[in-house]
mmCIF file of all heavy atoms in Angstrom:
data_model
loop_
_atom_site.group_PDB
_atom_site.id
_atom_site.type_symbol
_atom_site.label_atom_id
_atom_site.label_comp_id
_atom_site.label_asym_id
_atom_site.label_seq_id
_atom_site.Cartn_x
_atom_site.Cartn_y
_atom_site.Cartn_z
ATOM 1 N N ALA A 13 -3.952 63.940 69.496
ATOM 2 C CA ALA A 13 -3.908 63.312 70.814
ATOM 3 C C ALA A 13 -4.987 63.911 71.736
ATOM 4 O O ALA A 13 -5.643 63.186 72.496
ATOM 5 C CB ALA A 13 -2.522 63.488 71.442
ATOM 6 N N LEU A 14 -5.176 65.214 71.633
ATOM 7 C CA LEU A 14 -6.224 65.840 72.431
ATOM 8 C C LEU A 14 -7.620 65.364 72.017
ATOM 9 O O LEU A 14 -8.453 65.089 72.867
ATOM 10 C CB LEU A 14 -6.146 67.383 72.290
ATOM 11 C CG LEU A 14 -7.228 68.203 72.999
ATOM 12 C CD1 LEU A 14 -7.183 67.946 74.493
ATOM 13 C CD2 LEU A 14 -7.065 69.669 72.680
ATOM 14 N N GLU A 15 -7.834 65.227 70.704
ATOM 15 C CA GLU A 15 -9.112 64.750 70.190
ATOM 16 C C GLU A 15 -9.429 63.359 70.728
ATOM 17 O O GLU A 15 -10.536 63.057 71.188
ATOM 18 C CB GLU A 15 -9.073 64.743 68.678
ATOM 19 C CG GLU A 15 -10.298 64.196 67.997
ATOM 20 C CD GLU A 15 -10.127 63.969 66.521
ATOM 21 O OE1 GLU A 15 -8.966 63.943 66.028
ATOM 22 O OE2 GLU A 15 -11.157 63.762 65.803
ATOM 23 N N ILE A 16 -8.382 62.489 70.719
ATOM 24 C CA ILE A 16 -8.573 61.133 71.202
ATOM 25 C C ILE A 16 -8.830 61.113 72.722
ATOM 26 O O ILE A 16 -9.687 60.391 73.200
ATOM 27 C CB ILE A 16 -7.352 60.269 70.842
ATOM 28 C CG1 ILE A 16 -7.237 60.146 69.330
ATOM 29 C CG2 ILE A 16 -7.444 58.877 71.483
ATOM 30 C CD1 ILE A 16 -5.892 59.614 68.847
ATOM 31 N N ALA A 17 -8.121 61.960 73.439
ATOM 32 C CA ALA A 17 -8.291 62.041 74.889
ATOM 33 C C ALA A 17 -9.699 62.533 75.239
ATOM 34 O O ALA A 17 -10.348 62.013 76.145
ATOM 35 C CB ALA A 17 -7.231 62.938 75.527
ATOM 36 N N LEU A 18 -10.170 63.546 74.519
ATOM 37 C CA LEU A 18 -11.517 64.095 74.800
ATOM 38 C C LEU A 18 -12.574 63.042 74.497
ATOM 39 O O LEU A 18 -13.569 62.941 75.214
ATOM 40 C CB LEU A 18 -11.732 65.349 73.952
ATOM 41 C CG LEU A 18 -10.965 66.586 74.400
ATOM 42 C CD1 LEU A 18 -11.137 67.733 73.384
ATOM 43 C CD2 LEU A 18 -11.450 67.065 75.772
ATOM 44 N N TRP A 19 -12.393 62.296 73.439
ATOM 45 C CA TRP A 19 -13.348 61.218 73.100
ATOM 46 C C TRP A 19 -13.446 60.195 74.203
ATOM 47 O O TRP A 19 -14.512 59.629 74.439
ATOM 48 C CB TRP A 19 -12.938 60.559 71.771
ATOM 49 C CG TRP A 19 -13.838 59.467 71.323
ATOM 50 C CD1 TRP A 19 -15.070 59.630 70.738
ATOM 51 C CD2 TRP A 19 -13.610 58.062 71.376
ATOM 52 N NE1 TRP A 19 -15.630 58.379 70.438
ATOM 53 C CE2 TRP A 19 -14.745 57.411 70.837
ATOM 54 C CE3 TRP A 19 -12.540 57.275 71.854
ATOM 55 C CZ2 TRP A 19 -14.828 56.026 70.742
ATOM 56 C CZ3 TRP A 19 -12.644 55.898 71.742
ATOM 57 C CH2 TRP A 19 -13.777 55.267 71.201
ATOM 58 N N GLN A 20 -12.357 59.984 74.927
ATOM 59 C CA GLN A 20 -12.332 58.990 75.960
ATOM 60 C C GLN A 20 -12.874 59.493 77.311
ATOM 61 O O GLN A 20 -12.943 58.694 78.257
ATOM 62 C CB GLN A 20 -10.898 58.467 76.164
ATOM 63 C CG GLN A 20 -10.370 57.658 74.986
ATOM 64 C CD GLN A 20 -9.052 57.028 75.340
ATOM 65 O OE1 GLN A 20 -8.993 56.005 76.005
ATOM 66 N NE2 GLN A 20 -7.959 57.660 74.903
ATOM 67 N N THR A 21 -13.228 60.743 77.388
ATOM 68 C CA THR A 21 -13.749 61.243 78.664
ATOM 69 C C THR A 21 -15.067 60.588 79.005
ATOM 70 O O THR A 21 -15.868 60.228 78.114
ATOM 71 C CB THR A 21 -13.931 62.759 78.635
ATOM 72 O OG1 THR A 21 -14.811 63.112 77.550
ATOM 73 C CG2 THR A 21 -12.609 63.489 78.485
ATOM 74 N N SER A 22 -15.360 60.420 80.277
ATOM 75 C CA SER A 22 -16.600 59.823 80.708
ATOM 76 C C SER A 22 -17.755 60.696 80.300
ATOM 77 O O SER A 22 -17.629 61.939 80.211
ATOM 78 C CB SER A 22 -16.600 59.636 82.227
ATOM 79 O OG SER A 22 -15.517 58.804 82.630
ATOM 80 N N TYR A 23 -18.909 60.057 80.102
ATOM 81 C CA TYR A 23 -20.071 60.814 79.746
ATOM 82 C C TYR A 23 -20.508 61.633 80.944
ATOM 83 O O TYR A 23 -20.452 61.164 82.101
ATOM 84 C CB TYR A 23 -21.211 59.878 79.297
ATOM 85 C CG TYR A 23 -22.113 60.517 78.284
ATOM 86 C CD1 TYR A 23 -21.691 60.776 76.981
ATOM 87 C CD2 TYR A 23 -23.394 60.922 78.628
ATOM 88 C CE1 TYR A 23 -22.520 61.355 76.036
ATOM 89 C CE2 TYR A 23 -24.246 61.499 77.709
ATOM 90 C CZ TYR A 23 -23.792 61.731 76.429
ATOM 91 O OH TYR A 23 -24.599 62.340 75.507
#
Side-chain angles (χ1 to χ4, degrees):
L14 177 60
E15 177 190 15
I16 295 165
L18 288 172
W19 180 75
Q20 292 188 80
T21 56
S22 300
Y23 210 71

